[in-house]
Amino acid sequence: MIVKDVVCPFCGCLCDDIEVEVEGNRVVAVANACELGATKLTGERRMKNPILRDGDAWKDISYDEAIRYASDMLLSAERPLLYGWSGTHGEAQCVGVHMAELVRGVIDNTSSVCHGPSILAIQEVGHPGCTLGVVKNRADLVIYWGSNPIDAHPRHLSRYTYYADGFFLENAFRDRKVIVVDIRKTETANVADEFMQIQPGGDYAVLSALRAIVRGRAESIPQTVAGVTREQLIRVANLCKEAKFGAVYFGLGLTMTQGKYKNIRNAIELVTELNRHTKFTISAMRGHYNVYGSNEVNTWMTGYPFGIDFSRGIAFYNPGETTAVDILARKECDAALIVGSDPAAHFPRRCLEHLADIPVVQLDPYPNATTAFCNVQIPVAVTGIDAEGTAYRMDGVPIRTRKIFSTEYPSDEEVLSRMYALMQEDG
Amino acid sequence: MSELLIRNACVIDPLRGINAEVMDIAIRDGVIVENVGGSAEVIDAHGALTLPGGIDSHTHICGTKVNFGRYMSPEDMRAGRTPRRGHMHSTSGYSVPTTYGNSYRYSAMGYTTLLEGAMAPLEARHTHEEFLYTPLQDTMANTLFDGNWAIMEAIRDGDTKRVAAIIAWTLQAVKGFGVKLTNPGGTEAWQWGKNVSCIRDPVPYFEVTPAEIIRSIVEANELLGLPHSVHLHCNNLGMPGNYTCTLGSLGLIPDLNPKRQTLYATHVQFHAYGGSDWKDFCSKSEPIVRFVNMRPQIVIDMGQVMFGRTTTMTADGPMEFNLYRLHHEKWSNHDVELETGSGIIPVVYRRKNLVNSVMWAIGLELALLMESPWQCMLTTDNPNGAPFVRYPEIIALLMSKRYRDAEFATIHPDTGSRVPLPAIERELDWYEIAVMTRAGQARALGIQDLGKGYLGPGAEADVAIYPIRIDEVDPAVDYQKVIEAFSQTEYTIKRGRVVSRRGECLVDGSNATLWVRPNVSDDYDMGRDPDFIEKFDRYYTVRMRNYPVQEEYLNRDRCIETEAGI
Ligand code: SF4
Ligand SMILES: [Zn+2]
Ligand SMILES: [Zn+2]
C-alpha cells in the first residue's frame, strides 16, 4: 500500500509530501524524503515491551506495571523532573504539563540545551519572522548564519529556499542569492553565492559592523572585523539593503557560540533595522521535528516556553535555574521522567552522574543512550508512523502527522494519560 | 436528566424585551425550559441582577499570535499568577493570560461565549488546539481573508461567486466561523514591507483595491448565507486623520441582510481620529457616529483603551511596525504565506500622554453617542486597548457621568479641547449594558437562533448572576459597586451547570466550537477546482490534504450548515 502526504517526523522542516510504501507493519520504500527522514521512517529495531531494571539485568513487565511504577515514582518524589518532549506530539506534551503541575515538578524540553538562548533574545527584542512559504515565494536573498542545512535540514534548500519555486521569482534558482556565514566552509557554503568566513567567536562583532553599515556608518568600520574584510561587509550589507525580501536562518553556530543570546539579539536587531529599508525576516533552524511544538504547548498552558518549575504551585520560569541541566548538575531532582529525547547522548557528565543516582523512567520506542540510566523504559508508538498527533514546524505552522500503519504500541499520549489518571486518584 | 431552578432572578433579557422583571428560570439538561419538577436543584438569586451569559464578539485569546505574545513576554506572565487549586489549573499572565487564565477570568465575569477575532487559515489548527484548553466558554474564530491570493485574483477577474466559493472551502476546511478582513490588501503589501494608505490604493501586483476587496467579500458573505456579517478592521488603523478613510469604508456597504447588519466594524476607536499629525490629533467620534446612526446595516465595537500596560496584537503587521517605531519596545512580526500576517508589541497607555488620553475619550464617546446600543458592542479589542478584565470599569464609566468626570480630571489637561466627551451627559442604563455585552453581540454574530444571548425556553442555559440589586444601587453615584459586581459573578452557569461561583471555577468544563459549513454546488467546490488545486500545490508549503483541521480538534462539534446561493 502507498501512503501519500506523509509528514516526516524527523526535523523541524516537517516535510509533509512524503510517500511511503507499506507492507504490513513495515515501510519498504520512501519517496521524497531526505536520507535522515527515510531512515527515521523505515525505522530501527524497536523495544518489544516495557522493561524494568533488575540488578544488572532487565525484566519484562506489563504496561500496567510500568505505568504504575512511573506514577508512584512521580508522586513520591520531592522534586521530579519531566524532560524531553521534542520527539512527541502536542497532545502528549499537554498531559505532561498537567502531570508536572500535579506533582509540583519541573517540566523542561530540549530547547533549553539548543535554542534556549534564541528564545531569551526574542523575549528581549521580539522576533520579525514569517512562515516558510513567504520566503519560498518572495525571497531574493537568503542568509544561512551558523547553520548548515545540507547536513541538518537537508530539504530546507529545496523545499523552502534556494531551489524552491517562488511565485514572485521568474527563475527562482537564478534570481535568488544565498549567503552563508560560518566559521568554516560547510557544504552549504559550497553552493552559496557568497561565503563570509568569520573567526570563531566573531559573530557578535560582525553583526555589529553590519548594523553600523546599514545605519550609514561604513566609515567607522576597520579594515577587517573578526577575519572579514571591510569590502565584504559593505558588499553583504548592500546586498541586504537592495534585496526585495531577505530572510536570515540561523543555527546553533550562532546560538551556542561565544556571546550566545547576545548574538541572536544582535542579529534580530540587524533585521529590525533592515526593515526600515526593505523587508527582512529572521528565524531559527529548529532541530527536532516537534521541539517548537513543545515551546508552543508549554506557553499556552503555563506562559513560558521551557524550564517551568511548579514547586511553588504557580508556574515559575528562570532559565539557568529551572532548566534540566542545572537541576541535575545541582543534584536537586530526585526522579526523572524522560519523554521523546535522549539526554544521555547530549548532557554534561555531571548531569548524567546524578541521573544514574535517581529513579528514571523513559518513554521511547527504541533503546538509546538514556536506556542505560533507566529503571523502567516504556516503548511507545512513533508519532508520524504508528501514532498521529500535532507537531509544529520550525515556523510555527501546526501539522497533524499521519498514521502510516497500526501497531499494538500505545501512543505517548495514551501512556501519559493513564499515568496522569492514576496520579490523580492517588495524589 | 439534570434540572436546575433559579428563583427570584431580576432578569434583563433584551432579545425578549424583558427589563428587570423578577422571575424564575427553569433549566433541564442544559437548556432553558418552561418549568421543571419539584426535585430540581434550586439556586435562590435573591433578586440579584441576572443576565444571559456574556458574549465577547471580538477578543484575542487563542492562536499563533496570541501565543507568541505570551512567548515573548515573561514579564507579562509574571504579572498574573495563580496556583493550581481544586478544579483550577495554574494560570499566568495579565494582558495575555494562558488559556486557562483567559477561561477562568472570563467565566468569573459571567462570559460564556467568545469569538477569537483573527485566525490565519494556515495556522487554524493552533487556534483550535488552544480552544480545547479554554474549557468554560464556547468558542469560534473569525477567519482572515484580507490578503488571500486566490480571492484577490478572483476579485481581479470580477468573479464574486468564485470569491464566495473560496471562502466556503476555506471556512469548512479550517473550521472557521466568520469572515475577517484586517487592513484588507495591507497585509499582502506588508509582505513587501509596504502598506496601502486607504481604500483606493491598489495592492502591489494584484492590482485590486481595498474597496474592491471589501465590497466583493461583503457580497460573497451574503451569497453564502453566513450567520455573521463580514467583520472589518479598516485600513489605516491608528493614524491621525484616519476617520475619513473609515467613513469611506463604511460608505461602501449596502444593506443586504434583513436579520442583522451587513458589516461589523471592529475597534472603531482606533479608526476615529482627526488631525493631520500627532500634534493636532483629535477625536472624530461625532462624524463617525452620525454616519453609523443613519445606517442600520452597520454595527461597530468600541475598542476602548484603558490606561496601563497591555500587549497589542493584530493581523495588521504594518501598523504594528509603525507602532514599534513610536514606542521602541520589542517587536514581533509573523507573515503567513498566501494569506495574511500579524504583529505584536507591548505598550503602556498613559494618562499623562495626550494622544492616549484622547484615545480613551473616543472609545467612550462612540458608546455614548450611538443612539442604539444594538449597534455598538462593548469591547477593548482584548488585549489591544486593554485586557478584558477592565470591562467592569468601562461599564461603570458608561453608566456614570460622575465617574467619567473624576477620571477626566486625572488625564492630560489639553484633552478637553480635542474631544467632545466632557459635554456628553448621557448615562447608559442596565438594559443598554446588557445589550452591549450579550444580546447585541448574539444578534450581531447571528447566533441567537442557536440559543445564544437570551434566557427564554429553548435557549442554551448560559446565565450570569451578578451580586448586585439594581433597585438598590444608583450606578451614576455608586459606580464602585458596579465595578465590583461585574468583576465577579455570584454564579456563572454554562449549559445548565454552575461553572463559576464567586470567582472560583468548579468544573473542568466542556466547551463547544461553533463553525460554519456553507453547502455549495459541485461547480463551486474548490476542492475539485483544477486551477485552485494547482496553485495550492505550487505555492503553499503544506499539502492540500494536510491543510484541513480534523475533527479531533473539536471538543463539542457545533457545525452550522448554510445553503449557499452558488
Ligand atoms: S528535511 Fe527534515 S523533515 Fe524533511 S524529509 Fe529530511 S529529515 Fe524529514
Ligand atoms: Zn483588528
Ligand atoms: Zn482585534
Side-chain angles (χ1 to χ4, degrees):
Chain A
M1 189 185 59
I2 306 271
V3 189
K4 290 190 176 178
D5 301 329
V6 169
V7 185
C8 173
F10 188 80
C11 89
C13 285
L14 217 64
C15 302
D16 73 333
D17 60 343
I18 315 294
E19 281 187 33
V20 299
E21 194 180 337
V22 183
E23 276 177 28
N25 277 0
R26 235 163 45 88
V27 173
V28 292
V30 180
N32 294 349
C34 69
E35 254 330 282
L36 300 171
T39 311
K40 171 87 190 186
L41 285 162
T42 38
E44 308 143 54
R45 288 263 299 253
R46 301 217 199 159
M47 191 175 276
K48 287 220 168 53
N49 47 267
I51 52 171
L52 169 75
R53 181 177 297 283
D54 184 12
D56 283 341
W58 290 107
K59 195 171 103 184
D60 291 348
I61 55 172
S62 69
Y63 278 94
D64 282 344
E65 289 168 317
I67 288 166
R68 164 66 64 188
Y69 182 98
S71 132
D72 288 347
M73 174 190 84
L74 290 170
L75 283 176
S76 60
E78 269 180 21
R79 195 153 171 71
L81 169 69
L82 295 85
Y83 177 78
W85 308 104
S86 56
T88 188
H89 49 283
E91 292 76 2
Q93 293 162 351
C94 289
V95 184
V97 173
H98 281 159
M99 288 168 60
E101 189 194 61
L102 181 73
V103 296
R104 295 190 164 217
V106 170
I107 184 160
D108 189 23
N109 52 61
T110 56
S111 44
S112 71
V113 292
C114 64
H115 274 289
S118 315
I119 295 172
L120 297 185
I122 288 168
Q123 292 179 334
E124 276 190 18
V125 291
H127 174 208
C130 62
T131 67
L132 287 157
V134 179
V135 173
K136 163 187 150 78
N137 286 313
R138 291 177 201 269
D140 52 354
L141 179 68
V142 178
I143 302 175
Y144 287 102
W145 195 309
S147 62
N148 183 14
I150 288 187
D151 235 27
H153 300 82
R155 295 183 75 214
H156 199 268
L157 289 150
S158 58
R159 257 172 77 78
Y160 307 125
T161 65
Y162 208 14
Y163 309 105
D165 242 5
F167 184 82
F168 289 105
L169 295 117
E170 248 171 59
N171 179 336
F173 183 58
R174 196 191 57 214
D175 300 345
R176 184 132 57 195
K177 280 210 157 39
V178 171
I179 301 176
V180 167
V181 187
D182 216 314
I183 55 167
R184 72 183 79 83
K185 195 148 198 219
T186 59
E187 263 187 86
T188 313
N190 287 330
V191 303
D193 298 287
E194 173 109 27
F195 173 49
M196 191 157 81
Q197 185 160 13
I198 300 182
Q199 284 164 0
D203 297 280
Y204 189 87
V206 170
L207 285 162
S208 298
L210 288 173
R211 281 177 72 188
I213 299 168
V214 171
R215 284 221 204 105
R217 300 234 198 78
E219 76 288 346
S220 66
I221 306 299
Q223 262 320 307
T224 63
V225 178
V228 185
T229 64
R230 185 163 181 265
E231 288 65 43
Q232 190 179 25
L233 287 166
I234 292 173
R235 187 166 67 242
V236 167
N238 285 337
L239 281 173
C240 291
K241 278 166 76 171
E242 283 156 15
K244 286 205 206 76
F245 187 111
V248 180
Y249 287 102
F250 64 92
L252 296 180
L254 188 62
T255 311
M256 277 303 182
T257 49
Q258 189 184 334
K260 284 201 165 181
Y261 95 95
K262 288 202 180 120
N263 292 342
I264 309 302
R265 191 188 151 129
N266 214 0
I268 293 172
E269 288 186 309
L270 168 64
V271 166
T272 303
E273 188 71 41
L274 282 164
N275 272 289
R276 294 168 190 264
H277 301 274
T278 181
K279 180 78 182 195
F280 239 86
T281 67
I282 179 166
S283 295
M285 296 287 274
R286 304 305 301 271
H288 254 84
Y289 84 100
N290 194 26
V291 61
Y292 194 58
S294 64
N295 296 143
E296 293 277 10
V297 165
N298 280 318
T299 300
W300 83 62
M301 306 276 291
T302 74
Y304 310 101
F306 65 101
I308 302 119
D309 180 355
F310 282 108
S311 62
R312 299 160 179 82
I314 48 108
F316 178 79
Y317 165 74
N318 190 19
E321 179 194 338
T322 58
T323 27
V325 166
D326 307 278
I327 283 174
L328 285 166
R330 287 197 309 269
K331 303 194 182 305
E332 238 176 74
C333 69
D334 55 353
L337 175 73
I338 312 289
V339 182
S341 75
D342 187 9
H346 308 285
F347 277 16
R349 223 183 74 207
R350 268 186 74 192
C351 299
L352 298 184
E353 280 166 14
H354 187 58
L355 208 57
D357 285 344
I358 59 171
V360 176
V361 173
Q362 167 168 248
L363 268 61
D364 205 286
Y366 311 106
N368 58 17
T370 305
T371 305
F373 294 83
C374 286
N375 297 69
V376 166
Q377 178 162 349
I378 308 175
V380 283
V382 184
T383 310
I385 298 181
D386 45 337
E388 51 180 49
T390 317
Y392 284 73
R393 204 165 68 181
M394 59 164 72
D395 58 351
V397 171
I399 302 180
R400 186 168 185 83
T401 62
R402 279 175 192 283
K403 200 179 200 177
I404 311 174
F405 52 75
S406 297
T407 61
E408 299 284 297
Y409 290 110
S411 69
D412 285 308
E413 185 196 5
E414 283 163 347
V415 171
L416 292 168
S417 297
R418 283 169 63 188
M419 241 179 242
Y420 182 52
L422 272 185
M423 286 158 67
Q424 280 178 301
E425 274 170 34
D426 301 356
Chain B
M1 188 175 78
S2 76
E3 291 189 332
L4 178 66
L5 183 65
I6 305 168
R7 310 199 59 147
N8 303 315
C10 174
V11 172
I12 298 180
D13 185 356
L15 280 172
R16 294 196 300 153
I18 293 172
N19 190 1
E21 282 177 35
V22 176
M23 53 171 70
D24 296 349
I25 302 169
I27 297 168
R28 180 178 309 120
D29 294 333
V31 178
I32 295 180
V33 292
E34 292 288 354
N35 44 55
V36 285
S39 59
E41 192 190 325
V42 175
I43 286 175
D44 194 330
H46 298 291
L49 174 65
T50 302
L51 304 176
I55 298 172
D56 199 333
S57 54
H58 190 105
T59 178
H60 300 281
I61 45 161
C62 291
T64 307
K65 72 182 176 323
V66 177
N67 212 34
F68 210 84
R70 301 176 186 122
Y71 182 97
M72 68 188 269
S73 317
E75 68 284 359
D76 191 75
M77 296 305 107
R78 281 192 292 273
R81 299 191 288 205
T82 58
R84 181 175 188 276
R85 191 177 64 230
H87 281 271
M88 295 167 80
H89 292 282
S90 66
T91 73
S92 303
Y94 168 65
S95 69
V96 216
T98 50
T99 51
Y100 288 129
N102 279 324
S103 198
Y104 301 154
R105 291 173 211 175
Y106 259 122
S107 189
M109 288 166 53
Y111 278 77
T112 51
T113 304
L114 304 174
L115 175 129
E116 161 55 49
M119 172 171 83
L122 179 64
E123 296 166 336
R125 197 172 278 102
H126 185 161
T127 304
H128 289 288
E129 280 215 280
E130 290 197 32
F131 281 171
L132 293 175
Y133 293 89
T134 308
L136 301 178
Q137 288 81 22
D138 292 337
T139 48
M140 48 193 140
N142 269 346
T143 311
L144 293 159
F145 290 100
D146 35 75
N148 188 295
W149 289 5
I151 286 182
M152 285 191 291
E153 282 173 355
I155 293 171
R156 193 170 54 192
D157 299 343
D159 191 347
T160 305
K161 287 184 174 173
R162 189 174 172 87
V163 173
I166 297 163
I167 292 173
W169 183 85
T170 310
L171 283 181
Q172 58 78 32
V174 305
K175 309 294 183 270
F177 173 77
V179 173
K180 172 79 180 294
L181 299 177
T182 291
N183 185 5
T187 54
E188 163 57 29
W190 177 238
Q191 298 202 1
W192 291 124
K194 300 188 169 75
N195 198 356
V196 290
S197 61
C198 192
I199 56 172
R200 306 287 171 202
D201 209 0
V203 182
Y205 174 80
F206 291 94
E207 293 300 319
V208 294
T209 63
E212 290 167 320
I213 297 176
I214 295 168
R215 243 196 321 242
S216 167
I217 292 188
V218 161
E219 252 178 70
N221 193 94
E222 299 312 316
L223 266 179
L224 294 174
L226 302 185
H228 187 35
S229 69
V230 165
H231 198 111
L232 175 67
H233 157 143
C234 290
N235 301 107
N236 227 355
L237 182 146
M239 300 306 284
N242 65 6
Y243 83 105
T244 54
C245 179
T246 309
L247 291 175
S249 309
L250 300 181
L252 298 168
I253 309 304
D255 191 351
L256 298 177
N257 192 308
K259 277 186 81 174
R260 53 143 171 84
Q261 77 285 355
T262 304
L263 183 84
Y264 180 110
T266 188
H267 46 63
V268 171
Q269 177 276 129
F270 290 109
H271 303 274
Y273 300 160
S276 54
D277 58 27
W278 296 112
K279 289 197 200 77
D280 58 359
F281 184 80
C282 63
S283 167
K284 286 289 179 188
S285 57
E286 285 171 317
I288 298 271
V289 168
R290 252 197 315 274
F291 196 89
V292 178
N293 270 338
M294 293 186 309
R295 285 172 181 76
Q297 68 266 39
I298 295 169
V299 162
I300 66 171
D301 75 50
M302 296 164 70
Q304 178 65 25
V305 154
M306 296 293 277
F307 301 110
R309 187 169 264 285
T310 192
T311 308
T312 66
M313 49 178 64
T314 142
D316 196 342
M319 187 285 295
E320 291 283 350
F321 188 62
N322 285 332
L323 211 55
Y324 161 74
R325 293 167 72 151
L326 290 174
H327 290 256
H328 270 286
E329 273 221 46
K330 50 192 168 190
W331 167 60
S332 288
N333 181 72
H334 182 72
D335 298 322
V336 180
E337 62 207 61
L338 285 77
E339 293 177 353
T340 182
S342 67
I344 310 167
I345 72 160
V347 297
V348 185
Y349 296 115
R350 298 175 202 278
R351 285 170 199 274
K352 298 298 168 209
N353 176 299
L354 179 57
V355 168
N356 294 166
S357 297
V358 172
M359 292 164 83
W360 172 83
I362 293 173
L364 297 174
E365 288 159 15
L366 292 171
L368 294 166
L369 293 171
M370 283 298 306
E371 276 160 23
S372 165
W374 296 93
Q375 271 181 283
C376 183
M377 305 301 117
L378 191 153
T379 69
T380 58
D381 188 18
N382 167 67
N384 286 298
F388 65 84
V389 289
R390 311 290 299 273
Y391 287 179
E393 292 166 70
I394 299 170
I395 292 172
L397 285 164
L398 295 175
M399 296 185 87
S400 170
K401 166 80 170 143
R402 189 187 290 194
Y403 184 26
R404 290 200 295 271
D405 288 345
E407 285 290 292
F408 202 86
T410 69
I411 66 176
H412 194 286
D414 294 349
T415 313
S417 63
R418 296 168 185 246
V419 306
L421 185 67
I424 301 174
E425 298 292 331
R426 183 170 174 193
E427 292 174 331
L428 299 187
D429 62 26
W430 303 101
Y431 189 87
E432 288 165 320
I433 294 297
V435 172
M436 294 172 69
T437 55
R438 47 266 288 161
Q441 311 231 9
R443 180 184 285 177
L445 293 175
I447 54 173
Q448 77 271 45
D449 292 347
L450 301 172
K452 297 283 192 188
Y454 66 101
L455 295 175
E460 295 209 338
D462 295 351
V463 191
I465 306 175
Y466 293 98
I468 193 165
R469 291 195 52 138
I470 62 173
D471 51 348
E472 289 172 358
V473 172
D474 177 359
V477 182
D478 290 331
Y479 50 83
Q480 208 55 45
K481 287 195 178 139
V482 173
I483 296 174
E484 279 162 31
F486 280 107
S487 295
Q488 198 176 94
T489 60
E490 192 67 23
Y491 295 90
T492 302
I493 294 164
K494 173 86 198 123
R495 211 177 287 111
R497 278 200 304 178
V498 178
V499 292
S500 177
R501 172 112 169 85
R502 293 182 184 158
E504 184 85 15
C505 297
L506 303 175
V507 298
D508 289 332
S510 175
N511 68 336
T513 300
L514 283 66
W515 60 284
V516 178
R517 179 198 296 282
N519 290 318
V520 301
S521 67
D522 287 354
D523 288 350
Y524 284 97
D525 177 359
M526 285 295 119
R528 310 178 192 194
D529 184 273
D531 183 57
F532 186 76
I533 295 169
E534 195 213 308
K535 288 202 167 121
F536 199 110
D537 282 351
R538 280 182 73 161
Y539 301 117
Y540 270 104
T541 55
V542 170
R543 302 282 299 158
M544 197 163 164
R545 259 180 82 214
N546 289 329
Y547 185 88
V549 173
Q550 294 84 349
E551 276 162 20
E552 280 86 346
Y553 296 92
L554 308 170
N555 183 28
R556 285 167 188 265
D557 179 349
R558 288 204 57 188
C559 173
I560 304 158
E561 302 210 26
T562 72
E563 291 315 316
I566 53 169

